[in-house]
Amino acid sequence: MAKVLSISSQVIYGHVGNSATAFVMQRMGHDVLPLPTILLSNRPGYKALAGEPVAVDKLDALLHAAEENGWLSEIDGVLTGYIPTPEHAELSRHWIAKIRAANPAALYLCDPVVGDLPRGLYVSEATAEAVRDVLVPVADAVTPNLFELGWLARRPIASPASAIAAALALARPTVVVTSAPSGKPDSVANILVKGGEVFATVSPRRALTAHGTGDALAAFLLSYKLNGFVASASLRAATAAIDAVVEKSEGRSELALIETQAVWAAADPVLAPLASLPGLDDDDDAEAG
């Protein structure tokens, strides 16, 4: 069992932010310390919405108490998701550095929750820049969606090859691009770029009202990595898990995380097949299964 600090939003109703990631990682066998950057009644999109960001000094005090109790020295992984202000990004970097000083093997996965298509940025530009310039450069793994990748890499993305080039431009050990072009209009790809290796899985494109798929996928990826899976197996298992959730979530306002847990939390997980992507050949180091 690993111990994970999860820094993200939290809602009292629904499955986004920590309200998705904490349950996923706990169900996958890990001990989770969920730190809420913002507390909300629910995600935006419902009739009523209440809540506000949690002050940085309050979060800092919570983490100092956790440190004094000896819990942070036991952290094996950190996941950051929704960051509401540049100051929250700086706070996260500060504590990630302290955790790594205590445990140099601790993994940090940055899910850069700054926007999506077709809306674009849904945080301030200053906050998005802080995620890009403060958090991404210290991450072991980054999990942007297609819009976020283009924004972070400062380049347009229209093909699998351009997605891979943009992922490489982030210069991080591992980048997983979600909702990436697959080369076919009825499907999307998850593309993992790790050094000179590229792995991809392809899933059906579905019309989905529920939010939080990126949060859940990041939690699946980190969980499988902490469970000892190699990169390609982590991608395959995480894709199969999120596909099981999404399939049951069609027509619903929230992800079917609870109903599908027996599938994605199985001791012997289903592995989605690796896929070849059009426009890539053997010289591009793309692996197919």
Side-chain angles (χ1 to χ4, degrees):
M1 179 178 70
K3 193 182 295 291
V4 181
L5 173 63
S6 184
I7 305 173
S8 190
S9 60
Q10 191 154 339
V11 296
I12 67 169
Y13 176 83
H15 303 297
V16 297
N18 275 342
S19 300
T21 60
F23 173 64
V24 165
M25 291 188 287
Q26 288 167 338
R27 190 66 177 81
M28 297 281 287
H30 304 303
D31 192 8
V32 181
L33 286 69
L35 190 75
T37 57
I38 184 171
L39 285 171
L40 296 172
S41 56
N42 44 266
R43 64 169 174 82
Y46 286 97
K47 180 180 179 180
L49 177 66
E52 61 186 6
V54 180
V56 167
D57 61 341
K58 292 183 178 179
L59 296 178
D60 192 50
L62 292 173
L63 289 171
H64 271 294
E67 181 182 38
E68 291 177 9
N69 287 329
W71 300 328
L72 294 189
S73 63
E74 303 170 350
I75 294 292
D76 302 291
V78 179
L79 170 63
T80 61
Y82 182 80
I83 301 295
T85 72
E87 292 74 24
H88 286 82
E90 290 288 355
L91 176 80
S92 298
R93 179 170 67 173
H94 170 76
W95 282 99
I96 290 165
K98 296 195 74 168
I99 289 166
R100 282 174 162 165
N103 177 14
L107 297 172
Y108 168 40
L109 187 153
C110 174
D111 185 19
V113 184
V114 300
D116 205 348
L117 295 172
R119 179 177 173 183
L121 286 179
Y122 46 65
V123 298
S124 70
E125 189 162 344
T127 298
E129 289 172 350
V131 171
R132 182 189 65 203
D133 301 334
V134 173
L135 294 180
V136 169
V138 298
D140 297 299
V142 187
T143 58
N145 62 35
L146 186 62
F147 168 81
E148 291 161 345
L149 177 64
W151 198 91
L152 294 172
R154 302 178 176 92
R155 61 176 71 191
I157 300 168
S159 67
S162 60
I164 292 168
L168 289 169
L170 296 186
R172 303 318 308 144
T174 301
V175 177
V176 179
V177 188
T178 64
S179 302
S182 68
K184 297 180 180 180
D186 59 347
S187 63
V188 293
N190 292 324
I191 303 174
L192 187 152
V193 180
K194 180 179 174 64
E197 297 181 302
V198 176
F199 307 97
T201 56
V202 173
S203 304
R205 185 184 295 276
R206 294 186 174 95
L208 197 65
T209 303
H211 293 226
T213 53
D215 301 314
L217 183 61
F220 284 130
L221 286 165
L222 182 56
S223 293
Y224 285 118
K225 177 64 176 176
L226 291 171
N227 283 341
F229 282 49
V230 298
S232 59
S234 294
L235 176 69
R236 296 173 66 192
T239 297
I242 201 66
D243 282 354
V245 174
V246 169
E247 184 178 12
K248 283 285 188 180
S249 303
E250 288 188 275
R252 301 177 54 160
S253 60
E254 296 291 338
L255 291 179
L257 281 177
I258 308 301
E259 296 90 328
T260 57
Q261 61 183 294
V263 176
W264 52 258
D268 187 13
V270 174
L271 298 181
L274 293 178
S276 59
L277 298 176
L280 301 175
D281 54 31
D282 294 338
D283 293 334
D284 295 309
D285 292 315
E287 291 207 20

